[in-house]
Amino acid sequence: MFTRSNFSSFKNNRLQLCVVCAFVLALTSVSSAQEVQKIASLSKVETSRAAAAKENKYTFIMFWKNQDDATKAMWSTLQQNLSGKNDTTTFVAVNTSDPAEAKIVEEYGVSRAPMPLTLAVAPNGAITGSFVKQINADYIQQSFVSPAKCRCMKTLQSRKMVLLCVNAGSSSAMPQGVQDFKAVPCYQNVVEVVNVSQTEAAEADFLKELEVPQDGQNTKVVFMAPPGVMVGMYNGNVTSQQLIAELKKAGKSCGVEGCKHCK
């Protein structure tokens, strides 16, 4: 569960846009050829995950080593709970000893993890659930998270900071202090601003987890740093100087790789 002091939920079952411009036909042809080559190099599971992401689906990946009772039970539970949800999910199994799937095993760093292990992967690549040895319907349901929570999780898992701006209404205006903080050279590429409205029903549970006041009046800024630390929550008039001071007070200094020399 998300808390004010620690976002450790990524470790506990709750747990990276490229813009392509075709300038000339020749360049488009080359890009297409490269894309075909890239797709051809993907394993069966990587291809399935990529296809699911394009269709805005979650992918549940079960990693296993031995066909023991725990593995059979986990796979059976996934089948029972996901087989009828083809419009939102797909699920696949990966034998960690299969050379063809070595890349995906390395990508998620699960070669030495306890097995079986299921990871829930959102369309944007965020890991929203991690289940060892066993899984049930409740765990599966908890893996489906709101859009804002999904963006925050992905950003933190990418070793970047998050400034979540919770606006009273539908406005997505960025507070001046947040703009100034993001403009600091050593922070601008390692922080993502996520806007959400207090009135968005889909985000109600997420905002409740964060204990964001639902006063319907004032913008709140929630500052998060990897791997899952909630630096603090502030009013919309927070300044960049305050954010920097709070970040350093939290012991994160520059917070992430890439801004070690920020002053």
Side-chain angles (χ1 to χ4, degrees), residues 74-131:
M74 181 172 281
W75 185 246
S76 177
T77 300
L78 288 173
Q79 288 180 309
Q80 291 173 17
N81 287 276
L82 298 177
S83 292
K85 299 181 179 180
N86 296 331
D87 56 333
T88 58
T89 65
T90 186
F91 58 99
V92 292
V94 174
N95 184 337
T96 57
S97 300
D98 184 356
E101 301 296 348
K103 285 175 59 179
I104 201 165
V105 171
E106 180 181 1
E107 177 183 345
Y108 290 113
V110 299
S111 60
R112 297 183 180 181
M115 297 287 165
L117 165 68
T118 291
L119 298 181
V121 184
N124 72 342
I127 299 174
T128 59
S130 176
F131 313 101

Side-chain angles (χ1 to χ4, degrees), residues 72 122 176:
K72 294 176 182 178
Q176 188 60 51

Side-chain angles (χ1 to χ4, degrees), residues 32-224:
S32 299
Q34 292 174 337
E35 183 66 19
V36 169
Q37 183 178 8
K38 178 180 178 181
I39 294 175
S41 69
L42 296 178
S43 70
K44 180 178 179 180
V45 172
E46 289 175 307
T47 300
S48 177
R49 181 187 59 178
K54 286 185 177 181
E55 297 175 5
N56 199 36
K57 296 181 181 180
Y58 278 70
T59 301
F60 286 74
I61 308 174
M62 188 190 79
F63 295 93
W64 63 280
K65 289 182 180 179
N66 303 305
Q67 292 193 29
D68 52 21
D69 290 341
T71 298
K72 294 176 182 178
M74 181 172 281
W75 185 246
S76 177
T77 300
L78 288 173
Q79 288 180 309
Q80 291 173 17
N81 287 276
L82 298 177
S83 292
K85 299 181 179 180
N86 296 331
D87 56 333
T88 58
T89 65
T90 186
F91 58 99
V92 292
V94 174
N95 184 337
T96 57
S97 300
D98 184 356
E101 301 296 348
K103 285 175 59 179
I104 201 165
V105 171
E106 180 181 1
E107 177 183 345
Y108 290 113
V110 299
S111 60
R112 297 183 180 181
M115 297 287 165
L117 165 68
T118 291
L119 298 181
V121 184
N124 72 342
I127 299 174
T128 59
S130 176
F131 313 101
V132 179
K133 297 294 187 180
Q134 58 183 351
I135 193 171
N136 58 41
D138 288 339
Y139 291 163
I140 291 173
Q141 187 57 42
Q142 291 168 8
S143 299
F144 297 97
V145 302
S146 70
K149 183 174 181 177
C150 195
R151 285 185 62 188
C152 290
M153 295 178 81
K154 176 59 179 175
T155 301
L156 292 170
Q157 290 168 13
S158 299
R159 305 297 299 173
K160 294 184 178 183
M161 297 177 287
V162 176
L163 283 168
L164 176 67
C165 300
V166 185
N167 303 299
S170 59
S171 172
S172 60
M174 189 185 303
Q176 188 60 51
V178 172
Q179 296 183 50
D180 294 341
F181 181 87
K182 189 169 175 57
V184 177
C186 61
Y187 289 132
Q188 59 185 0
N189 295 323
V190 291
V191 63
E192 180 167 350
V193 177
V194 179
N195 287 290
V196 64
S197 171
Q198 292 182 23
T199 61
E200 291 183 46
E203 304 296 344
D205 289 342
F206 180 39
L207 298 181
K208 185 176 180 179
E209 288 182 40
L210 296 176
E211 300 181 19
V212 178
Q214 303 294 294
D215 55 23
Q217 297 179 355
N218 303 307
T219 295
K220 300 293 182 181
V221 177
V222 184
F223 193 7
M224 296 168 264

